Amino acid sequence: MSQEIPAAVQRALDAIDALDNDAFVAAFAADGYVNDWGREFRGHDRIRFWSDNELIGKRATFTGTQVTVPGNPLTVRTQVGGDGFNGPSHFTFEIQNDELASMTITA
């Protein structure tokens, strides 16, 4: 992983690698959200629900992760595997105060 990935994003990516839903949720601000192809999940409880059913609960894996748009927001492209969606995706992270304000998933 590149040094250009901010700590807040790296914590979320590390949590996904470790299948650690508590650490994944903790990477977000209290009012942060996940936008999964237009479906929005705001706040820790809703993010946990989404992750239990769509990400960590599906044993998602990310491989070949690369920064495609540096800065804030930052976009990474990765190959998603696991027991749910499998295929390439872009994840755009917005950071505020060293926490994730949002994570948006697109093709």
Side-chain angles (χ1 to χ4, degrees):
M1 209 53 70
S2 169
Q3 293 175 324
E4 61 191 305
I5 295 179
V9 174
Q10 191 61 58
R11 285 193 300 274
L13 295 174
D14 290 345
I16 294 165
D17 284 345
L19 299 177
D20 184 342
N21 211 19
D22 290 335
F24 177 72
V25 172
F28 285 84
D31 63 345
Y33 67 90
V34 170
N35 182 314
D36 183 2
W37 292 73
R39 298 179 303 140
E40 189 172 293
F41 302 86
R42 185 173 295 274
H44 287 167
D45 290 343
R46 297 293 296 151
I47 292 169
R48 180 180 304 280
F49 171 82
W50 172 81
S51 180
D52 280 342
N53 291 286
E54 304 284 337
L55 186 70
I56 291 174
K58 295 290 187 183
R59 295 192 301 264
T61 59
F62 287 7
T63 56
T65 304
Q66 298 178 353
V67 173
T68 58
V69 180
N72 188 17
L74 171 125
T75 301
V76 299
R77 182 181 189 280
T78 192
Q79 179 70 29
V80 179
D83 296 334
F85 172 82
N86 285 261
S89 285
H90 288 85
F91 290 75
T92 300
F93 299 91
E94 186 173 352
I95 303 116
Q96 291 179 334
N97 301 320
D98 199 37
E99 296 179 306
L100 296 181
S102 66
M103 179 180 88
T104 301
I105 306 165
T106 57

